[in-house]
Amino acid sequence: EVEAEGRYYSFACIALEEEGYINIYGRDITNQELLDRDLKRTANRLTTLISNLQSAVLLENENRTIALVNQMFCNMFHIPVAPELLIGSDCSQAAEQTKHLFKNPDTFVERIAEILQNKVTVTGDKLELLNGKILRRDFIPIWNNNQYFGHMWVYEDITEVETREQALTEQKAFYEEILNKIPADIAVFDKEHRYLFLNPVAVKDENLRRWLIGKTDEDYAQYKNKPQKLVDERRAIFNAVK
């Protein structure tokens, strides 16, 4: 392969010993060379991007051989090997080999088998580890012209988020329990005047009370066929005490 003035050429030499000379055949491969170089640059950019993501990423080809894996994945699953050394490794038994890390190991293995069989995008699977951590898992199949080229697994540690949300949920339930026992009408609104909370004294009908959450007085008036005038008067009172 030779470059000359921005063009690329490929040459083949065929020796004709009986005739005593060599035939040289050349062809312009500029377009192919530029395309190959562009593909390599794109692949390098994607590899760098995935390697530096703050999520654990594993890319497998259609034969379940590792095409790319990042350090975050190795850390998350306690793999004491550099990511680049895993390229080309068989992943067909990976679920069995790592299931002991999960709270429900059999479910973990069965779910992976189901996902791989269906070959459709899956987002938001939650997995609990024995050490108390909670992971979110996404599965992204790679298709091109109806041909399957493999898939990517993305794992994210959401323990902190889940713990915070659980604490908020418990705190909300605690305060609602207190408000439910206060013998007075209590209603909590957001800035758009939608109901966030109503205690049983304010609305005795439990089904109606649940329905009202996220609704406004206008919604209630339409639901109960009440005049708009009542809604306007009620809103004026609230505006006056802001």
Side-chain angles (χ1 to χ4, degrees):
E1 183 178 309
V2 176
E3 179 185 0
E5 297 182 353
R7 307 294 296 181
Y8 297 89
Y9 303 91
S10 175
F11 294 92
C13 299
I14 301 177
L16 302 175
E17 297 180 359
E18 294 181 358
E19 286 78 4
Y21 63 87
I22 299 175
N23 276 346
I24 300 177
Y25 300 92
R27 63 190 181 95
D28 189 330
I29 60 169
T30 303
N31 291 338
Q32 178 182 338
E33 179 66 21
L34 293 177
L35 178 60
D36 288 344
R37 293 190 177 202
D38 187 52
L39 288 174
K40 289 178 181 177
R41 285 194 295 268
T42 299
N44 288 335
R45 284 195 292 267
L46 288 174
T47 299
T48 301
L49 173 63
I50 291 175
S51 297
N52 290 282
L53 283 176
Q54 293 306 302
S55 299
V57 178
L58 172 65
L59 180 64
E60 303 176 39
N61 64 21
E62 67 276 16
N63 298 316
R64 297 214 62 196
T65 297
I66 295 179
L68 182 63
V69 61
N70 65 0
Q71 184 63 52
M72 188 70 73
F73 185 91
C74 294
N75 294 343
M76 183 173 288
F77 293 102
H78 310 297
I79 302 173
V81 176
E84 56 270 19
L85 297 179
L86 295 173
I87 305 303
S89 300
D90 182 10
C91 279
S92 59
Q93 298 301 314
E96 285 290 341
Q97 294 166 356
T98 59
K99 70 178 184 179
H100 65 279
L101 299 173
F102 294 86
K103 189 174 181 180
N104 299 299
D106 292 335
T107 301
F108 170 72
V109 174
E110 291 168 3
R111 178 61 174 154
I112 284 184
E114 177 187 0
I115 291 173
L116 290 173
Q117 181 177 3
N118 293 335
K119 292 183 175 61
V120 295
T121 300
V122 176
T123 59
D125 268 3
K126 288 184 181 179
L127 308 169
E128 294 185 58
L129 275 64
L130 283 176
N131 61 11
K133 288 188 176 183
I134 302 174
L135 306 181
R136 170 194 164 106
R137 181 180 62 201
D138 297 337
F139 171 83
I140 305 168
I142 302 170
W143 294 90
N144 186 25
N145 295 326
N146 295 321
Q147 185 175 352
Y148 187 67
F149 283 94
H151 47 265
M152 183 166 67
W153 300 98
V154 181
Y155 291 84
E156 182 180 359
D157 188 340
I158 59 170
T159 308
E160 184 177 341
V161 173
E162 287 289 309
T163 301
R164 185 166 57 247
E165 289 183 354
Q166 180 62 29
L168 289 173
T169 299
E170 292 175 356
Q171 186 181 57
K172 179 175 179 288
F174 173 74
Y175 285 116
E176 286 185 356
E177 181 67 20
I178 294 175
L179 294 175
N180 282 334
K181 292 180 179 179
I182 294 177
D185 291 10
I186 297 177
V188 180
F189 302 90
D190 66 11
K191 63 180 181 180
E192 303 297 332
H193 220 75
R194 292 185 291 261
Y195 287 97
L196 297 176
F197 173 79
L198 288 156
N199 73 350
V201 178
V203 177
K204 294 181 174 59
D205 187 325
E206 182 178 353
N207 291 329
L208 177 60
R209 192 164 67 247
R210 290 178 178 175
W211 179 87
L212 276 168
I213 302 302
K215 305 292 195 309
T216 64
D217 284 334
E218 285 84 354
D219 297 324
Y220 176 74
Q222 293 177 7
Y223 181 68
K224 288 292 188 178
N225 198 26
K226 300 286 186 180
Q228 180 65 31
K229 179 182 178 181
L230 293 177
V231 175
D232 295 337
E233 290 175 350
R234 182 177 173 84
R235 179 60 60 85
I237 293 173
F238 280 107
N239 290 338
V241 297
K242 280 185 177 180

